[in-house]
Amino acid sequence: MFSILLSRIGQSALTLIAISFAVFAAVFLIGEPAALYDPLVREDPARLAALRAELGLDNPLHIQYARFLADVMSGQFGQSWVYQEPAMKVILERLPATLELVGCAIAIAFCLGYPLGLISGLKKPSRLSAAIERVAVLGYSAPTFWVGLVLIYIFAVGADALPSIGRGDTIQILGVRLSVFTADGLSHLILPAVTLSLYEIGYFTRMISTMTEETKHKTFISFAHAKGLPMRRVISNHLLKAVSAPLVTIVAIETGALIAGSVITETVFAWPGVGKLLVDSVAALDRPVIVAFVILTAMAFLALNLLADIAQMLMDPTLRPKRVAA
Amino acid sequence: MLKIHDLNLSFENGQSSAHILKDFNLTVTAGEIVALVGESGAGKSTVGAAIGGRLPPGGKIMSGSITFNGERLDSFSPTQFERIRGAEIGSIFQNPLSALNPFETAGRQLIETLIIRGGVARRSARERAITLLRRVGFDDPEIILPRYPHELSGGMLQRVVVAIALSCDPSLIIADEPTTALDVSLRNGIIELLRDAAEASQIGVLLITHDVSVVQAAAHRVCILHKGEVIETGATSDVLANPRHPYARRLISSVPPPTGKLKRLQNPPLSTLQPNSLRLDRNDSRAATGVVLQDVSVRYAGKRNIFLKQTTDLYALKNVNLSAAPGRILGIVGSSGSGKTTVARLIAGLADPTAGRITFTHAVEDKSGGSANAPTVDEAVASPTDAPLVQMIFQNPFASLNPRYSVFRQLIDAPKKVAGMSRADAEDQAVTLIEAVGLARNDLDKYPHAFSGGQLQRISIARALSMNPSLLICDEPTSALDVTIQAYIVDMLKDLNDAFGVTIVFITHDLSVCRHLCDDVVVLNRGEVCETGSTLDVLDAPKHRFTQRLVLNSNVCQRIDDRKAQAIKGAGSPNAGGTDDGELLSRIQSA
């Protein structure tokens, strides 16, 4: 198992290198970096050449890439052109807000989607399951920005019950600023988290419902009934185990997708997270921040997948190496 | 103890309803094994499900009664069923690998039943589990308990399932095809366990099976079910010796006799097919094609892990030499995992050998009389025009025919696209073929789901014939089918060989089918050829130890009856089964 993990980590490293190259190449596609860095030099060939030499852009591509890679390895993503701070620092300052939002959204989605999917899958075919499925489809086909606007209209504008802009009060916990633990912060969190989770609730419900229905027709479930186990025990001990193992991967992938895709929700609610930062940076062509963001997201994805692999290996004995040499 | 009286049962699905059981009667008394026999769709499993209260949705008892130990099961509620399932009625399923939960250890699944249904205290449950496992033939139960299902062999798992069925001292065990998913060599062990349970613990056993030889070996009484009706019932020896109902006679005569060679089992209509009715011309020089495998190996390289420690290579085939002579039927036999299917895939070009040569040979008309084998084309250099010469029929027709294509399309696609036949010719040929395999012209427009397994396998044969092959590979073409249909298919292949001179490579685990059909036989064991020769020579006088065991095991009934005659059954618990289990056990122990 240890060696499997090591090889997974090795694979992740290779993926990361591939992504770094893609990012590096994409940077060149945006335009001449020296000209973008300082628009004033664009018209003057002499100053442009001087700046290129200063920035190392006159080196061959592979040397530039090697330097870029070396910098990335040591955590150097360059200075943000807009904030005049290290790009990574700018991102890391805003990351907790996004992680908090995504964490809450996933938690809501899981806590609602899991039982709903389970009920729908177990009761299938029935009116109840059909109703749950229909609502779930509605949940993941409604566009996020629209849901966000509707929620703001109802709860912030209409009822004036919940705030719709920013994070509210935050407190420092273990060096990280979080809103969940203050009443004001929590009230700010509710609307964006619900908006972000709506798609995932629908997705989880559908997914778990399908897996549950598939599993309940498996022979080992019939056999568990035939053994005389009560329904409750068949579900808790046999069905849930089979449903939960593949679920870990789904949760991990969706978490990664939300981190990268919270942009719209963060923009709608002016949530000061990395999503909003990314939109601002793209608008301002703040290249170091974009590069750092892409690489960080890739790392988050890979880390989550690795965690999911480990969790799945712990939950599913058939994925573990056999204890009998085959 | 169990008495089913005039049971009528039907399935309702929206508007349509199907009458599954008609006036069904059955009794099982304590200590008696009653076999319920019939082909798939006869309603056998429905009987078992009705007794256990596990009827699928839509299933409904219309009239009649099921009385078990004085209680009326037909009016039981789901909770009442929960009480008697496991505790009073034990169940054995067909495939132990799918019956046991892959996420739980064998021990926990056994102990769970003991605690919840058997009322055994948590403390003593483990002890009791060990006793049970010992009873079903495990010498060292301690090492079985912490294993997950995928870490045990099929035979071992079925023993665990039997242990679970026995765990709460039931008075009835419903065994639904308990040996069907197992290798022949492991069947005897399970049958002996059932007989032992019936005799020693006075448990009634309802043995649901399609396999007449299992009935003969295990059951005291037999009940033959055909289309939901009991057509014959009585003591096993009487019914099998003197079947009165026509279907019963057909069923029993379809079982290929263990010894000797019957000329013909059934009468398929393929005889109407004339060699010239196939539109696709075959180059005369390839009238019959043989195949020669020289020192062929297929190796799966062991993976190198991160510490560069290489796991050992796995040989699917190791230095295999065999040949199918043009125009003959070659049988390839062996137990599961012996590499039979790999051979088929190699010949069909679906897999490549790691080492060795595969050569196709043609019977060339020789002026001086007779035919000589001249090796000509190497597999690797076969030109596109040679491609249609090999066709394959797979084990499971449900999986091998594309469910989204009509039969018509499956029959004309390859001739049109691969062989360049004109559409009109291809259509003509499709009609000829579908009629030749005993189906009707209007079946062409249907999709695979509209057919039974036997019909689908006939369509598979028609599909293979549509390319007018000179070499036909059949990979266990009958093992998913009922015996009556098996007999039909086997005879169809025989006719094909007679009429067209098609060379057939027939892969099977069933020695009696092989004996009936094949001219020559190759015995494979763990990827190596251990014996070859003419079928009757090899099977009647096996020289290799493995072949001897295979022949011995293939005849379940004979063996157990012999033992009874010698009165050596008193030894009690059966041992741990075939050597496969023994080896696995020793590997587990050393691990």
Side-chain angles (χ1 to χ4, degrees), chain B residues 34-331:
Chain B
V34 178
L36 190 56
V37 200
E39 56 191 39
S40 47
K44 321 185 282 291
S45 296
T46 310
V47 175
I51 298 168
R54 295 185 296 106
L55 281 176
K60 201 165 160 242
I61 294 174
M62 311 303 286
S63 66
S65 64
I66 305 174
T67 321
F68 173 70
N69 286 345
E71 290 184 284
R72 286 284 297 267
L73 296 188
D74 46 295
S75 55
F76 257 30
S77 71
T79 30
Q80 281 175 303
F81 269 121
E82 253 170 35
R83 179 171 54 76
I84 65 157
R85 274 199 303 247
E88 290 171 55
I89 300 179
S91 292
I92 299 170
F93 281 25
Q94 175 169 353
N95 186 351
L97 192 59
S98 57
L100 293 173
N101 186 343
F103 297 90
E104 282 277 12
T105 61
R108 286 190 57 168
Q109 300 194 51
L110 174 56
I111 289 169
E112 163 187 70
T113 323
L114 283 168
I115 293 172
I116 294 180
R117 267 310 133 206
V120 176
R122 205 165 277 275
R123 281 172 285 113
S124 47
R126 193 183 145 84
E127 203 97 329
R128 178 98 176 83
I130 289 172
T131 319
L132 274 165
L133 288 178
R134 201 161 272 140
R135 180 172 168 197
V136 296
F138 287 111
D139 294 330
D140 199 352
E142 304 266 353
I143 59 168
I144 301 300
L145 291 175
R147 304 279 146 186
Y148 286 96
H150 71 284
E151 297 173 316
L152 298 169
S153 75
M156 295 163 111
L157 289 174
Q158 196 64 304
R159 284 168 194 279
V160 172
V161 169
V162 173
I164 291 174
L166 291 172
S167 61
C168 310
D169 294 318
S171 46
L172 176 71
I173 286 182
I174 301 171
D176 193 347
E177 304 273 8
T179 58
T180 310
L182 300 180
D183 244 20
V184 190
S185 51
L186 300 169
R187 289 185 184 184
N188 304 347
I190 299 296
I191 291 175
E192 283 183 52
L193 280 179
L194 289 178
R195 291 187 73 118
D196 185 58
E199 276 163 37
S201 316
Q202 284 300 296
I203 295 173
V205 178
L206 179 61
L207 176 65
I208 298 169
T209 182
H210 70 276
D211 190 340
V212 178
S213 63
V214 169
V215 175
Q216 200 164 13
H220 301 108
R221 284 196 302 120
V222 62
C223 173
I224 300 178
L225 199 61
H226 181 53
K227 293 186 176 158
E229 284 180 273
V230 176
I231 53 165
E232 195 138 352
T233 176
T236 307
S237 49
D238 290 349
V239 172
L240 294 189
N242 289 311
R244 277 178 297 276
H245 191 278
Y247 175 77
R249 246 180 273 151
R250 194 146 64 84
L251 179 77
I252 289 157
S253 71
S254 293
V255 181
T259 51
K261 189 163 180 165
L262 273 181
K263 190 62 202 129
R264 163 164 287 281
L265 298 171
Q266 301 254 320
N267 217 350
L270 190 72
S271 36
T272 62
L273 191 66
Q274 296 301 313
N276 57 8
S277 49
L278 295 182
R279 296 298 165 124
L280 192 63
D281 278 337
R282 206 157 58 188
N283 188 338
D284 278 337
S285 70
R286 310 195 257 116
T289 302
V291 65
V292 179
L293 271 68
Q294 283 170 290
D295 290 324
V296 167
S297 296
V298 172
R299 193 185 70 223
Y300 295 108
K303 276 190 190 152
R304 218 173 263 278
N305 70 16
I306 194 113
F307 304 115
L308 303 178
K309 205 163 61 182
Q310 189 150 11
T311 54
T312 42
D313 292 349
L314 206 69
Y315 279 90
L317 291 177
K318 203 169 184 178
N319 297 329
V320 166
N321 285 293
L322 60 85
S323 67
R328 288 176 67 92
I329 303 180
L330 173 72

Side-chain angles (χ1 to χ4, degrees), chain A residues 206-217:
Chain A
R206 279 297 289 256
M207 218 56 191
I208 292 161
S209 163
T210 313
M211 289 194 296
T212 305
E213 202 207 356
E214 209 174 277
T215 311
K216 84 175 176 186
H217 294 301

Side-chain angles (χ1 to χ4, degrees), chain A:
Chain A
M1 181 158 165
F2 187 61
S3 70
I4 296 177
L5 279 183
L6 272 182
S7 72
R8 280 290 153 80
I9 292 171
Q11 285 167 16
S12 304
L14 287 179
T15 314
L16 213 53
I17 288 174
I19 289 169
S20 74
F21 184 75
V23 171
F24 180 75
V27 158
F28 276 82
L29 292 177
I30 297 177
E32 167 60 47
L36 284 172
Y37 182 69
D38 185 353
L40 297 176
V41 305
R42 204 174 298 165
E43 313 302 330
D44 186 344
R47 281 179 66 191
L48 186 64
L51 187 60
R52 282 174 60 88
E54 190 193 325
L55 293 174
L57 289 168
D58 53 347
N59 287 317
L61 196 67
H62 62 273
I63 302 229
Q64 288 189 41
Y65 178 60
R67 281 193 186 162
F68 166 74
L69 215 55
D71 282 350
V72 168
M73 291 288 180
S74 58
Q76 303 285 317
F77 290 87
Q79 292 276 109
S80 159
W81 298 348
V82 174
Y83 300 92
Q84 296 302 323
E85 276 181 1
M88 208 30 119
K89 186 169 167 254
V90 173
I91 293 175
L92 287 180
E93 267 171 10
R94 285 161 179 79
L95 195 61
T98 297
L99 291 183
E100 185 179 55
L101 179 61
V102 167
C104 286
I106 286 286
I108 295 172
F110 191 80
C111 292
L112 281 174
Y114 197 79
L116 279 176
L118 209 58
I119 292 168
S120 150
L122 285 173
K123 297 277 177 195
K124 235 181 234 180
S126 73
R127 276 197 199 153
L128 180 65
S129 338
I132 291 176
E133 298 260 301
R134 250 168 245 157
V135 174
V137 172
L138 207 67
Y140 73 71
S141 41
T144 316
F145 69 90
W146 177 78
V147 171
L149 291 178
V150 169
L151 289 181
I152 288 175
Y153 183 74
I154 297 174
F155 292 101
V157 181
D160 199 17
L162 291 167
S164 65
I165 291 173
R167 283 184 88 180
D169 295 343
T170 57
I171 53 167
Q172 195 100 356
I173 290 168
L174 299 173
V176 179
R177 283 173 53 216
L178 291 175
S179 341
V180 234
F181 300 108
T182 66
D184 182 54
L186 194 61
S187 69
H188 278 81
L189 187 60
I190 291 175
L191 284 186
V194 167
T195 307
L196 196 58
S197 70
L198 214 58
Y199 172 90
E200 299 297 336
I201 296 174
Y203 183 73
F204 281 158
T205 307
R206 279 297 289 256
M207 218 56 191
I208 292 161
S209 163
T210 313
M211 289 194 296
T212 305
E213 202 207 356
E214 209 174 277
T215 311
K216 84 175 176 186
H217 294 301
K218 287 259 167 79
T219 315
F220 70 84
I221 298 294
S222 310
F223 188 68
H225 283 302
K227 285 203 294 191
L229 300 186
M231 194 65 181
R232 187 179 287 272
R233 171 85 186 176
V234 174
I235 294 173
S236 67
N237 201 42
H238 293 277
L239 191 126
L240 281 190
K241 275 188 185 162
V243 172
S244 304
L247 200 63
V248 183
T249 313
I250 296 171
V251 171
I253 290 174
E254 290 307 307
T255 308
L258 281 193
I259 292 175
S262 60
V263 179
I264 295 171
T265 309
E266 288 186 6
T267 310
V268 170
F269 291 95
W271 188 261
V274 286
K276 192 165 173 305
L277 173 70
L278 180 69
V279 173
D280 295 343
S281 304
V282 170
L285 273 180
D286 193 353
R287 234 182 49 204
V289 174
I290 302 174
V291 169
F293 180 79
V294 172
I295 290 187
L296 194 73
T297 316
M299 273 164 57
F301 253 103
L302 291 171
L304 281 167
N305 269 319
L306 195 64
L307 281 177
D309 281 345
I310 296 170
Q312 205 163 16
M313 239 188 278
L314 291 176
M315 293 172 77
D316 187 346
T318 56
L319 296 179
R320 282 176 234 160
K322 277 194 192 184
R323 282 172 289 180
V324 186

Side-chain angles (χ1 to χ4, degrees), chain B residues 514-526:
Chain B
C514 176
R515 180 189 292 272
H516 176 70
L517 178 71
C518 303
D519 302 316
D520 307 299
V521 67
V522 172
V523 184
L524 276 182
N525 182 29
R526 290 165 188 249

